Amino acid sequence: MIASPSIDRRWPPASIAAKWPTVPWVLLAPVAAAVVMLPALKPSGPGNSSPVDIPIAISIGVTLLWASYTREQLRLPYALAVGLIMLGGAVASLAGPLPGVGLLAVVQDLVLLAWCAVIVNVARSPAAFRWLLRAWTWSAFIWAVVLIGAVATGNLALAGVTQRTGVRASLTFGDPNYAANYFFVAVMLVLATQTPRRWGLRMVVCAAILAALALTGSNGGLLSFGVGAAVVTVSIVRRHWGVMPLVATLCIVGVLGIFALTAAQFLPIEAWARDSGQPLLRDSIGRSSQSAQERVWLIQETIDLFKQGAPWGLGPGSTKPLLQSQLAPYAYQTHDD
């Protein structure tokens, strides 16, 4: 028999790893710090700024200095698409009723585009990319432990529990739904990157992050996790067991999904949660109808506002103040929901 050639399964393969640029620690450190501080959205400052903007600004400045010193060619992805969005926003802002609010949103888009470019240029080194992923997964675990500890000890300020959201925790995000989205993405990253490497420790990390997600009481976050868990299950079956088990798994997932939708329609789940005596169930599943009605109001208000506007729009960031000026019952920015 002819022996099959050995395959180098390392990524990147040793033959091409040397072609990637080496990212200095002075460039990687502020980017990793910004990733770690992603949840630090409160307290907020002028222009909706927050503590996480400090390492973001430092990383942008350091990257520009590094590129000018080394003559390194920087990549700027999404520049055309985001540039067109910013141009449209600027035109609508200058012609709209709230030019200051709209132009501030355009500046925020510019900062986000620069931050995206920094991440892309730093993460093109495989070693730097691994460090950023580890920074995200491990910091998410630490933030989850902080949230769990704050709720357990009754530190409502640190837990981000307010009278407006009941017992739902938002940590330093300012909104439970933001917190839920962060923890959902974090647990998917833990599973995708297999960080930590030990299976038992990885399960502990996942359990802590999922517990933090549950404490947010976000129906959208829990639904996202259910869909994500289904995707992970199907991917594992496809990778390890082949086509027929994959088809069977898809059928099971489909049946469970139909059953869940049917149960949500015909069983008094919301009433059970509302009358359960558990504050977290009451303020999450127990408020489903109210949450859905708020979305209906927001959609209708936004459509009415759209009809009042000009062909070039009213400008970004103008939805909430315009709805407030009209005494709308649900005055929020459209992107919030």
Side-chain angles (χ1 to χ4, degrees), residues 22 83 96 98 122 148 196 336:
T22 302
L98 299 170
V122 171
I148 295 170
D336 284 357

Side-chain angles (χ1 to χ4, degrees), residues 29-267:
V31 180
V35 171
V36 171
M37 290 185 63
L38 281 175
L41 301 182
K42 295 292 180 180
S44 58
N48 204 29
S49 58
S50 56
V52 69
D53 292 323
I54 297 174
I56 288 178
I58 293 174
S59 64
I60 293 174
V62 170
T63 302
L64 292 176
L65 290 174
W66 170 75
S68 62
Y69 177 76
T70 61
R71 305 297 180 183
E72 186 72 33
Q73 183 179 1
L74 297 180
R75 294 175 173 84
L76 187 59
Y78 316 117
L80 178 61
V82 178
L84 290 175
I85 293 175
M86 292 170 58
L87 178 61
V91 171
S93 299
L94 293 174
L98 299 170
V101 174
L103 292 178
L104 175 61
V106 174
V107 173
Q108 292 171 340
D109 285 343
L110 179 61
V111 173
L112 289 177
L113 178 61
W115 170 232
C116 173
V118 167
I119 294 176
V120 168
N121 286 278
V122 171
R124 57 179 167 169
S125 164
F129 185 56
R130 285 194 296 269
W131 273 106
L132 293 180
L133 288 176
R134 289 170 182 171
W136 191 320
T137 53
W138 280 110
S139 62
F141 170 66
I142 295 173
W143 283 109
V145 171
V146 170
L147 176 57
I148 295 170
V151 173
T153 57
N155 191 337
L156 301 184
L158 180 58
V161 176
T162 63
Q163 185 176 4
R164 180 179 66 86
T165 57
V167 299
R168 300 171 62 199
S170 61
L171 196 60
T172 51
F173 287 92
D175 189 286
N177 293 326
Y178 293 170
N181 289 339
Y182 171 80
F183 288 122
F184 166 67
V185 173
V187 75
M188 297 300 286
L189 278 177
V190 169
L191 296 175
T193 62
Q194 296 185 356
T195 303
R197 289 298 179 186
R198 293 185 179 181
W199 184 86
L201 185 57
R202 188 160 66 248
M203 292 301 100
V204 172
V205 171
C206 287
I209 297 176
L210 290 177
L213 192 157
L215 289 174
T216 65
S218 172
N219 293 333
L222 295 177
L223 177 61
S224 297
F225 173 72
V227 175
V231 172
V232 170
T233 302
V234 171
S235 300
I236 292 175
V237 172
R238 182 187 65 82
R239 177 178 297 180
H240 293 284
W241 287 287
V243 176
M244 293 307 297
L246 173 62
V247 173
T249 304
L250 288 173
C251 293
I252 294 174
V253 169
V255 170
L256 291 177
I258 294 173
F259 174 77
L261 290 175
T262 304
Q265 292 290 329
F266 296 101
L267 294 180

